[in-house]
Amino acid sequence: MRPDWVDLSDLPAGVDPFATAVSRTALTIPQWLSVRRTGVAASEIATVLGESSFKTPYALFMEKTGEWEPDDLSDNEAVEIGIDLEEYCGRKFAERTGRKVRRDNFLRRCAEHPFLIADVDFDVVAEDGQAPEIAECKTSLGRAAFTDLWGDGPSDVPNSYALQVMQQLVVKGRKRGWIPALLAGPRVKVYVVEYRADLADIIVEAAREFYQRLIDRNPPPVTSLADAKRAFPTSRAIEVQASAEIAGAVAELVAAKAVEKSDKARVEELQGKIAGFMADGDTLMLGRTRLLTYKNVERSGYTVAPSTTRQFRLSGATANPRPFRPRGDKE
């Protein structure tokens, strides 16, 4: 089924957005972004699999269906630098390996799985009996370059990049991909991603499921507090019965908030899970017991404009549980 959640009417005459190769040079950036919305792009598969630290599956769904505007990266200097340095990384890869590279100026769509699409930086030219391969350049000059995200081994790359290249291999039918990475120092390291059938199957099935969600307008669960605040900015006077899983999350939230300074990320993760479950309901119940509220709070404007936000409040019984004692027992 072809997507009806994206308007493709402004594409140039003669451009088939569902072809296995669409020339990027024939498209403006907005047109290229529109074509990308017709499938699951290689740069999005880590998000679909929950392996991205920048975006959730829910946020990606809302952006692809046009419900939310994606972040505007047109003036993002780090993105601009990364694009400018692709040519440098490609040249250094060719010097290090002795392989010739050629720009791939097409948005590719998998013939076998049309919901999979990919943009690849370079084709690695097949010479002297070698197989054609691909190269995807990365620039990491900030703090992340000093962490263990980039390892010393030939395949020790961040998971999100390994997944991206693996999908590119699936789309282009290649067995090996290279990642020439410009890291802090500065230094260039060349990593390799070998095709793995088991991982390729996971990617295909995850992308298929996500694409079906797009067709059915069935978003993934809300799992982050930021998404919950954006999706359900105001509450209504509705009691929501907690599932066993959510009741467990509330119990864990109580424990995590006790050490919030050292566990802030976990607190926000649990709040996001609970907020997504509650939607615009303002009270979470377990049977007749109130677990917490997530209600609108009015904030008066003094130095800033007045605003309304939703805030979590654990109920007294939940926040300070006391053991049950039969009547007549002394504490």
Side-chain angles (χ1 to χ4, degrees):
M1 177 178 177
R2 293 196 172 189
D4 58 4
W5 55 83
V6 53
D7 182 8
L8 301 170
S9 60
D10 67 337
L11 294 182
V15 172
D16 178 4
F18 302 101
T20 55
V22 180
S23 173
R24 286 184 291 186
T25 59
L27 305 175
T28 64
I29 291 179
Q31 291 169 342
W32 168 70
L33 291 173
S34 293
V35 176
R36 277 171 53 91
R37 285 175 57 199
T38 66
V40 179
S43 60
E44 297 169 338
I45 192 61
T47 298
V48 171
L49 287 166
E51 290 289 333
S52 171
S53 56
F54 302 103
K55 190 174 295 184
T56 65
Y58 182 86
L60 178 62
F61 176 94
M62 298 297 280
E63 289 178 6
K64 292 190 84 69
T65 54
E67 297 294 330
W68 289 359
E69 283 293 323
D71 294 334
D72 183 5
L73 301 178
S74 58
D75 292 325
N76 187 301
E77 191 169 9
V79 173
E80 291 180 3
I81 291 172
I83 294 173
D84 291 342
L85 289 173
E86 285 176 0
E87 291 292 339
Y88 174 78
C89 288
R91 187 169 68 251
K92 298 304 289 185
F93 168 79
E95 292 174 2
R96 297 276 183 89
T97 64
R99 302 288 299 273
K100 291 182 180 179
V101 296
R102 181 176 56 233
R103 267 287 184 184
D104 184 346
N105 290 315
F106 292 87
L107 186 153
R108 305 285 180 173
R109 187 178 298 271
C110 183
E112 183 178 0
H113 309 292
F115 49 85
L116 290 181
I117 58 179
D119 292 281
V120 179
D121 290 338
F122 293 98
D123 282 315
V124 180
V125 179
E127 291 183 316
D128 302 325
Q130 295 170 319
E133 297 168 350
I134 64 173
E136 181 69 17
C137 301
K138 297 298 177 186
T139 303
S140 185
L141 296 174
R143 289 183 178 179
F146 295 99
T147 70
D148 57 3
L149 291 179
W150 295 94
D152 295 326
S155 301
D156 293 340
V157 300
N159 286 342
S160 59
Y161 296 152
L163 290 168
Q164 177 184 357
V165 173
M166 188 63 64
Q167 177 162 321
Q168 291 171 336
L169 294 176
V170 173
V171 171
K172 295 206 69 171
R174 304 290 188 255
K175 296 300 182 184
R176 180 180 292 152
W178 300 90
I179 302 180
L182 177 59
L183 306 178
R187 58 200 172 98
V188 174
K189 291 200 66 174
V190 176
Y191 297 89
V192 64
V193 177
E194 302 283 356
Y195 176 84
R196 282 176 42 197
D198 58 336
L199 184 53
D201 288 344
I202 291 172
I203 287 171
V204 169
E205 290 310 309
R208 188 195 311 276
E209 179 182 335
F210 188 84
Y211 190 76
Q212 189 63 48
R213 285 185 177 277
L214 294 172
I215 293 172
D216 298 337
R217 295 297 199 279
N218 176 29
V222 174
T223 56
S224 83
L225 188 56
D227 287 352
K229 287 181 176 179
R230 190 173 179 184
F232 313 110
T234 58
S235 64
R236 296 187 294 158
I238 298 173
E239 290 186 354
V240 179
Q241 280 293 329
S243 65
E245 180 183 4
I246 292 300
V250 172
E252 190 176 348
L253 174 62
V254 173
K257 283 188 74 67
V259 288
E260 186 165 355
K261 287 185 179 180
S262 60
D263 211 359
K264 187 175 181 179
R266 183 56 177 159
V267 167
E268 291 189 358
E269 180 182 351
L270 290 165
Q271 287 178 332
K273 183 175 185 178
I274 296 165
F277 180 84
M278 293 177 67
D280 57 357
D282 69 352
T283 304
L284 185 65
M285 305 290 293
L286 184 61
R288 297 183 178 181
T289 301
R290 185 175 66 181
L291 297 180
L292 57 79
T293 60
Y294 184 38
K295 295 183 178 182
N296 297 339
V297 175
E298 303 290 338
R299 188 165 294 173
S300 299
Y302 297 102
T303 59
V304 295
S307 63
T308 301
T309 59
R310 295 180 70 180
Q311 289 186 3
F312 278 96
R313 294 188 186 278
L314 294 166
S315 71
T318 305
N320 301 290
R322 300 179 64 187
F324 172 76
R325 296 180 182 275
R327 186 175 299 175
D329 279 11
K330 296 182 179 180
E331 295 188 359

